[in-house]
Amino acid sequence: MKNKPVFGIIGGNGGIGKTFSAELRKLGYKTLIASRSSKLSPEACAQQSDITVISVPIRATVQVIRKLGPLLGKNQALMDFTSLKEMPVKEMLACTRAEVIGCHPVFGPSVSTLCNQVIVLTPGRGTAWFSRVKKIFLKTGAVIKVAKPAEHDRIMAVVQGLMHFTSITLINTLKTLNFSHEEIDSFSSPVYRIRMDFACRILNQNPELYADIEMLNNSISSVLSAYLAENKKLFSAVKHRDREAFIRAFKRASDYLGSKKKSAELKTDKLIDFSSLL
Amino acid sequence: MKNKPVFGIIGGNGGIGKTFSAELRKLGYKTLIASRSSKLSPEACAQQSDITVISVPIRATVQVIRKLGPLLGKNQALMDFTSLKEMPVKEMLACTRAEVIGCHPVFGPSVSTLCNQVIVLTPGRGTAWFSRVKKIFLKTGAVIKVAKPAEHDRIMAVVQGLMHFTSITLINTLKTLNFSHEEIDSFSSPVYRIRMDFACRILNQNPELYADIEMLNNSISSVLSAYLAENKKLFSAVKHRDREAFIRAFKRASDYLGSKKKSAELKTDKLIDFSSLL
């Protein structure tokens, strides 16, 4: 095992692959890039790298794993950057003899620093490359979380799936009701404006990526179905002016959060003050 | 009409009444306060003031209007700070000969400055006090919006009603699914964390106030019912892996937002960077 492993990033000229390639180079690691515009082919890139990182759209991931996995030897490692982990890790385990690491950087390419950003690692096969990769990623200042692929996907069904879903439905509700969003904004509270800005941010992303995140996660249906049921229940309380049922639902949620509520209020006070300057 | 009108704030020792009393005093206006702990009775306060401002919980507003309205003469003004406007303005018009102004400061008592905060005024009866109040409020740095009571309530059904509603149902979904919110947080993206913090902020407010906002607004049912329908439609697309329907819904929302998406992304980039320092 060489002192400084070589990273080969497949799809490294766009999005999160580019961010990592830049960070790894800053730390002194050699990175090779195979993208649609590079001279280096994905096959050559994989063969010349210690760790091959697949950073392509989710739908294309399986195909790339099937093409490159068989080319790797057991002293190499195969890793992916997909937002889901069950499906790609299963596919990597089936297609290669190399060590297998699932990885999900839980942030977009626009962050200005990896400091305090979360990177989830899901072990696949082998421990040697896993612990080296973990150490290297820690040097970027990121927070490393380790989870099983299915556990990761269940959490992401909320962190990404539910958040994207509710942003789309919120905006479509305004459209359906024929509201002018500019008019509502002009009448609105800081909390509303920030909530809307984050929904708009999500709607400014790639619909293809968000369709993948929503459609290929095995836990999404149960999460969305629970959300729909909560909405139906609370709507019934509001519609029937059942004040006690409404307050019961409020208190159930409030009790569940415990001390997080107070710290969130202090933090959002600061965000609200900051946002009034933007 | 005196040069500097006297404001009498009923309920002025708590919440938004206190915020306004402090702001008006800073601007050199005399304010009288009648609260449960003050020596001054609401009746005496109303009789000694030019503008009587009712700043009590929504449920108590009608009762206070009925008690004080008849005591006022036509040279005085009666105003309320309720989050809803149809019901209290109607009640004020019925109970007093005084000028009537509906007012909704669209922010909580925790803001550190009124600068750029929105205050909605809904004209009731008379123009003399209305234009004076508008000028005085402009001096605080707030943005003044004027609307009819029903128009105000329709917009607030989204700005407050839908926002509170979806925060409660989001948190109850996590509770129902037996998630540990601390664990999800530790795996999460900055966007998710901020969204959660704002939901937690809402759950740290007074459930009684939020029940009033939800139950006494005539436009709430149609807004929530549209939201439920959008959720049901998008869930059906996800459940049946109907990629085209999902992308259609995404693009519908995205097109509706137009250029707001780009500015929201730039603004939220800054909020995300700022939040990583908190």
Side-chain angles (χ1 to χ4, degrees), chain A residues 176 185 204 227 230 260 265, chain B residues 176 204 227 230 260 265:
Chain A
T176 296
D185 271 2
N204 203 30
Y227 181 68
E230 293 298 334
K260 184 174 165 64
E265 180 151 12
Chain B
T176 296
N204 202 32
Y227 181 68
E230 293 298 333
K260 185 175 165 63
E265 179 151 14

Side-chain angles (χ1 to χ4, degrees), chain B residues 3-202:
Chain B
N3 209 15
K4 284 261 186 187
V6 175
F7 286 85
I9 304 185
I10 315 297
N13 257 345
I16 203 76
K18 200 173 178 178
T19 306
F20 269 83
S21 164
E23 288 283 331
L24 291 166
R25 281 177 185 169
K26 264 194 264 171
L27 293 170
Y29 294 92
K30 187 175 171 188
T31 63
L32 301 173
I33 285 172
S35 69
R36 269 167 293 191
S37 60
S38 69
K39 283 184 198 159
L40 191 66
S41 71
E43 290 83 352
C45 181
Q47 281 160 335
Q48 292 166 34
S49 302
D50 296 299
I51 303 165
T52 296
V53 183
I54 298 172
S55 184
V56 300
I58 302 186
R59 276 150 301 137
T61 299
V62 168
Q63 188 192 333
V64 177
I65 291 172
R66 287 184 184 159
K67 192 163 69 177
L68 304 182
L71 307 176
L72 302 179
K74 59 183 180 176
N75 293 329
Q76 289 171 291
L78 182 58
M79 180 157 88
D80 79 304
F81 275 172
T82 318
S83 297
L84 299 170
K85 295 274 61 77
E86 263 198 295
M87 177 268 282
V89 170
K90 195 175 153 194
E91 200 67 32
M92 290 192 288
L93 288 172
C95 294
T96 191
R97 295 178 305 152
E99 292 203 9
V100 168
I101 305 168
C103 176
H104 178 202
V106 192
F107 48 87
S110 74
V111 295
S112 61
T113 164
L114 264 56
C115 201
N116 292 327
Q117 301 293 356
V118 174
I119 300 176
V120 183
L121 293 177
T122 63
R125 178 193 300 136
T127 55
W129 282 116
F130 186 87
S131 56
R132 286 194 82 183
V133 163
K134 192 176 160 184
K135 272 182 203 153
I136 294 167
F137 282 0
L138 278 171
K139 289 186 200 168
T140 64
V143 175
I144 309 298
K145 298 293 296 181
V146 176
K148 289 182 181 161
E151 188 191 349
H152 165 276
D153 286 5
R154 184 164 180 263
I155 292 173
M156 287 309 141
V158 175
V159 171
Q160 299 191 305
L162 184 57
M163 291 301 131
H164 300 171
F165 185 92
T166 54
S167 295
I168 301 167
T169 57
L170 168 66
I171 304 296
N172 272 328
T173 302
L174 301 188
K175 161 84 178 151
T176 296
L177 294 169
N178 277 319
F179 274 111
S180 146
H181 58 80
E182 292 93 344
E183 197 199 2
I184 303 195
D185 271 3
S186 74
F187 276 84
S188 68
S189 64
V191 170
Y192 173 84
R193 270 188 233 138
I194 294 173
R195 168 81 184 96
M196 272 298 282
D197 280 336
F198 277 96
C200 294
R201 179 189 182 85
I202 283 170

